[in-house]
Amino acid sequence: MERPELPLAQLHAFVVLAEELHFGHAAARLGIAQPPLSQQIRRLEDKVGHALFTREPGRVALTAAGRELLPAARRALTDLADGLAAARAVGSGRAGRLRIGFAASLALTVLPGLLRAFRERLPDVRLDIREMTTAPQIAALRDKTIDVGLLREPPAGDTAGDTAYGPELCFRTVLTEPFVAVLPSAHPLAAPRTVRLARLADEPFVLLPRTAGPRLHDQIIGLCEAAGFTPRIAQRAVEWQTVCALVETGLGVSLAPASIRRIRLKGVAFRTVEPNARTRVAVGWRKDDRSPLVAQLLATVSGDPGSAR
Amino acid sequence: MERPELPLAQLHAFVVLAEELHFGHAAARLGIAQPPLSQQIRRLEDKVGHALFTREPGRVALTAAGRELLPAARRALTDLADGLAAARAVGSGRAGRLRIGFAASLALTVLPGLLRAFRERLPDVRLDIREMTTAPQIAALRDKTIDVGLLREPPAGDTAGDTAYGPELCFRTVLTEPFVAVLPSAHPLAAPRTVRLARLADEPFVLLPRTAGPRLHDQIIGLCEAAGFTPRIAQRAVEWQTVCALVETGLGVSLAPASIRRIRLKGVAFRTVEPNARTRVAVGWRKDDRSPLVAQLLATVSGDPGSAR
DNA sequence: TGGGCTGATATCTCTAGGCGTATGGAGCGC
DNA sequence: GCGCTCCATACGCCTAGAGATATCAGCCCA
């Protein structure tokens, strides 16, 4: 590709004149006087090396060379205008792509509302969402596989990571929710509205593997220990959906964030636990991520009315 | 289409930098120092309104906005370069289209050589050739249906026309050729090599209609009258091919330019006439036609070795 | 023959932008 | 800590080009 030394203004003038075929009118449309237009065309013709218009008294017409140049000039100008507009849209966060990881349990609670609100604010942004548990989200944020994560119990005081493990990550709490006990409907403890945690001491537990979300896992174990027992884990499952199904078959009980109440299985009961404790849901992102889309998503999460324009 | 105020040089710099992802190397490829390149990119980013590259120490990378702009910029630049090249080619006469009218009798003589020579000189020029007699060629030249005509006996002293009838036309003689008598082989006058024109006085004649080419027609009639008789016209035909066929059937004799000797019909003989007279073949074009292709064709006709480059 | 229209030319001004050299400052490796 | 690489910044110079106004030249029409 060689050095393309010709001002775009000349091309624009050329295209307009080719449409008007009248110097006065074309100049008016360009918002300039007629002599400058004559100059523009002249300069362009000098660069091309050949006349682009014939100026017979009375009528202006394209030459063969002009006819050849016209479509290319038009294409170049529209390509450029479109490209600029697209780049501006992406740059300002009005368009583009945002990859979001989310914990499966949120698919039924915060996620739908968030997606709806974001889409309303920025309809031209494509949202790629993928379900993943907490730990993989941290990894995915670090290696830039996702841009935003919606996860439970983020690591270390709302900020984590050092450069050795990748970019520094930030977290902000979106909501907190209480824990509930997950019991088979037929279980005696399912009868009252509330279950004291200590009563679950001898029950077998069904939980997510610790690797899926160490902090949440540790918090659950910690709650049990605070209640005076160490839970005996009978079975692991990677999704809350599965956990509930296993509870239904009588394999054990579980302790889970309240939002899994949305999982409706007829053989399973959810009961408030005593003493009550809450788990946090947070958004996480790369601290050095300058993408306006991330900012927009954070604003949406915060309930900011936003400025889509 | 809005006013596209951004210098192309910046776009070029952008594309090159996007390929190199290294300011120093890109600047070298552009043949400038590194600071100017930084400025170019900066100005472009200012106009776009957003960063196009991330400059982390060690590596330069495109931003999302930059990725959006890149293909459009590339397209615009190549479109423009191609369009300019095409316009220059057409403008300089290295490419384009030339419409040529020619008298049918020339299809066997000057035309093939001319086309071959022209095509060799300018292989990218498309030649649209169409057979037509003299008078229609004049009309077609005037209304710009053809650009060049190859015809017999052009009107009035190598130049003709006034503005009332359209553009002024020019003619240049390509070659002159003698007349021949067209006789049935069995005809007594076909026996000797040469025929005295006066001997044809009592023969019926087969000729083209006068409207096809008034000057040639008048010239033929004039020759006969100079030989002391007015030819009796038994039949008209619009093509020499047909004239020969009619002569073969014994419908009459004819007087024709020598080049129709190429029409080989076993029952027809061509004989040199006495006194000898010659007819002219000319190229015609619009005097105000500035097309370089016309000039090139004229040069080819004149046997000019030409300068295709 | 004299306006009216159309486009070209001449002249002047102003400024954006392109380039160079010199310099600054942040990582990175030894 | 030193030097190296790499990019940004600061300044100064210079030209191209865009714009305006004034004027001229050809053509058409009345």
Side-chain angles (χ1 to χ4, degrees):
Chain A
M1 208 177 306
E2 289 318 305
R3 185 181 274 231
E5 196 44 50
L6 74 176
L8 277 199
Q10 291 177 9
L11 273 193
H12 188 211
F14 167 66
V15 170
V16 170
L17 180 57
E19 284 165 2
E20 298 287 339
L21 292 179
H22 185 292
F23 278 75
H25 300 168
R29 226 179 92 185
L30 289 165
I32 61 177
Q34 170 262 319
L37 176 59
S38 284
Q39 289 181 33
Q40 299 267 46
I41 299 300
R42 190 171 176 352
R43 271 193 283 267
L44 182 57
E45 287 177 326
D46 284 351
K47 285 213 184 74
V48 173
H50 306 281
L52 298 170
F53 294 95
T54 59
R55 292 88 150 162
E56 289 164 28
R59 68 174 144 282
V60 174
L62 278 169
T63 63
R67 274 190 299 276
E68 204 65 26
L69 183 59
L70 182 57
R74 245 198 269 267
R75 263 201 313 276
L77 288 177
T78 57
D79 273 355
L80 219 53
D82 292 353
L84 268 180
R88 289 201 175 107
V90 168
S92 67
R94 285 196 313 280
R97 192 169 67 110
L98 191 63
R99 297 162 305 171
I100 304 176
F102 67 98
S105 58
L106 303 178
L108 299 169
T109 55
V110 296
L111 191 66
L114 177 59
L115 293 186
R116 195 177 322 113
F118 191 85
R119 193 152 289 151
E120 189 172 309
R121 180 194 286 232
L122 295 172
D124 293 335
V125 174
R126 209 177 89 200
L127 295 175
D128 290 354
I129 61 174
R130 43 192 305 186
E131 183 189 319
M132 45 208 309
T133 51
T134 298
Q137 281 192 51
I138 302 290
L141 281 172
R142 286 233 164 82
D143 67 17
K144 302 188 179 175
T145 308
I146 62 175
D147 303 306
V148 172
L150 280 173
L151 37 76
R152 292 191 178 278
E153 293 300 324
D158 257 21
T159 252
D162 44 66
T163 53
Y165 297 124
E168 197 172 353
L169 303 183
C170 288
F171 298 94
R172 185 192 298 163
T173 301
V174 172
L175 63 80
T176 65
E177 54 180 342
F179 282 96
V180 294
V182 187
L183 305 165
S185 312
H187 196 285
L189 291 176
R193 270 284 237 315
T194 303
V195 178
R196 292 205 56 83
L197 202 49
R199 306 285 295 274
L200 298 176
D202 296 329
E203 301 290 333
F205 268 70
V206 182
L207 286 179
L208 297 207
R210 182 170 186 276
T211 51
R215 304 257 317 162
L216 177 64
H217 187 271
D218 292 352
Q219 191 185 14
I220 291 171
I221 304 297
L223 284 176
C224 293
E225 286 174 344
F229 69 97
T230 299
R232 180 171 54 89
I233 294 164
Q235 184 62 46
R236 304 273 191 185
V238 286
E239 292 176 13
W240 287 111
Q241 184 90 23
T242 313
V243 169
C244 291
L246 294 176
V247 168
E248 184 186 21
T249 66
L251 214 67
V253 302
S254 192
L255 212 48
S259 60
I260 69 156
R261 281 178 186 277
R262 296 291 187 94
I263 301 174
R264 302 211 170 276
L265 277 177
K266 55 182 181 310
V268 176
F270 302 100
R271 294 293 176 262
T272 308
V273 297
E274 284 276 327
N276 95 351
R278 304 180 75 85
T279 172
R280 298 188 306 142
V281 172
V283 281
W285 69 96
R286 285 182 295 279
K287 190 178 181 183
D288 65 353
D289 192 335
R290 293 276 161 272
S291 163
L293 294 184
V294 170
Q296 292 275 9
L297 187 108
L298 292 176
T300 306
V301 162
S302 311
D304 186 326
S307 58
R309 234 359 29 87
Chain B
M1 207 176 305
E2 290 317 308
R3 185 182 276 232
E5 197 42 51
L6 72 176
L8 276 200
Q10 290 176 10
L11 273 193
H12 188 210
F14 167 66
V15 170
V16 171
L17 180 57
E19 285 166 359
E20 297 287 340
L21 293 180
H22 185 292
F23 278 75
H25 300 167
R29 227 179 90 186
L30 289 165
I32 61 176
Q34 168 263 319
L37 175 59
S38 284
Q39 290 180 33
Q40 299 266 45
I41 299 301
R42 191 173 174 356
R43 272 193 283 266
L44 181 58
E45 287 178 327
D46 284 350
K47 284 211 184 74
V48 173
H50 306 280
L52 297 170
F53 294 93
T54 59
R55 292 90 150 160
E56 288 163 29
R59 69 172 142 280
V60 174
L62 279 169
T63 63
R67 273 190 298 275
E68 204 66 25
L69 184 58
L70 181 57
R74 246 198 269 266
R75 263 201 312 276
L77 288 177
T78 57
D79 273 354
L80 220 53
D82 292 353
L84 268 180
R88 289 201 176 107
V90 168
S92 66
R94 285 197 311 279
R97 191 170 67 111
L98 191 62
R99 297 161 306 172
I100 304 175
F102 67 99
S105 58
L106 303 178
L108 299 169
T109 54
V110 296
L111 192 66
L114 176 60
L115 294 186
R116 196 177 322 112
F118 191 85
R119 194 152 289 152
E120 191 173 308
R121 182 195 287 232
L122 296 171
D124 293 334
V125 175
R126 210 177 88 198
L127 295 176
D128 290 354
I129 62 174
R130 41 192 307 187
E131 182 188 321
M132 46 207 310
T133 51
T134 299
Q137 281 192 50
I138 302 289
L141 280 171
R142 286 234 163 81
D143 68 17
K144 303 188 179 177
T145 307
I146 60 174
D147 303 306
V148 172
L150 279 173
L151 37 76
R152 292 191 178 280
E153 293 300 323
D158 259 20
T159 252
D162 44 66
T163 55
Y165 298 121
E168 198 172 354
L169 303 183
C170 289
F171 299 94
R172 183 192 298 162
T173 300
V174 173
L175 62 84
T176 66
E177 53 181 342
F179 281 97
V180 293
V182 187
L183 306 165
S185 311
H187 195 285
L189 290 175
R193 270 283 238 315
T194 302
V195 179
R196 291 205 58 84
L197 203 48
R199 305 285 295 272
L200 297 176
D202 296 328
E203 301 291 334
F205 268 71
V206 183
L207 286 179
L208 298 207
R210 183 172 187 277
T211 51
R215 305 259 315 165
L216 177 63
H217 187 271
D218 293 352
Q219 191 184 10
I220 291 172
I221 303 297
L223 284 176
C224 294
E225 286 173 345
F229 69 98
T230 299
R232 179 170 56 86
I233 293 164
Q235 184 61 46
R236 304 271 191 188
V238 286
E239 292 177 11
W240 288 111
Q241 184 90 25
T242 313
V243 169
C244 291
L246 294 176
V247 168
E248 184 185 19
T249 65
L251 213 67
V253 302
S254 191
L255 213 49
S259 61
I260 69 159
R261 281 178 186 277
R262 296 292 186 95
I263 301 174
R264 303 211 170 274
L265 277 177
K266 53 179 182 304
V268 176
F270 303 99
R271 293 292 176 263
T272 308
V273 295
E274 286 275 326
N276 94 351
R278 304 181 75 84
T279 172
R280 299 189 307 140
V281 172
V283 280
W285 69 97
R286 287 181 294 278
K287 190 178 181 183
D288 65 353
D289 193 336
R290 293 275 161 273
S291 162
L293 293 185
V294 171
Q296 292 276 9
L297 187 107
L298 293 176
T300 306
V301 163
S302 311
D304 185 325
S307 58
R309 234 352 35 84

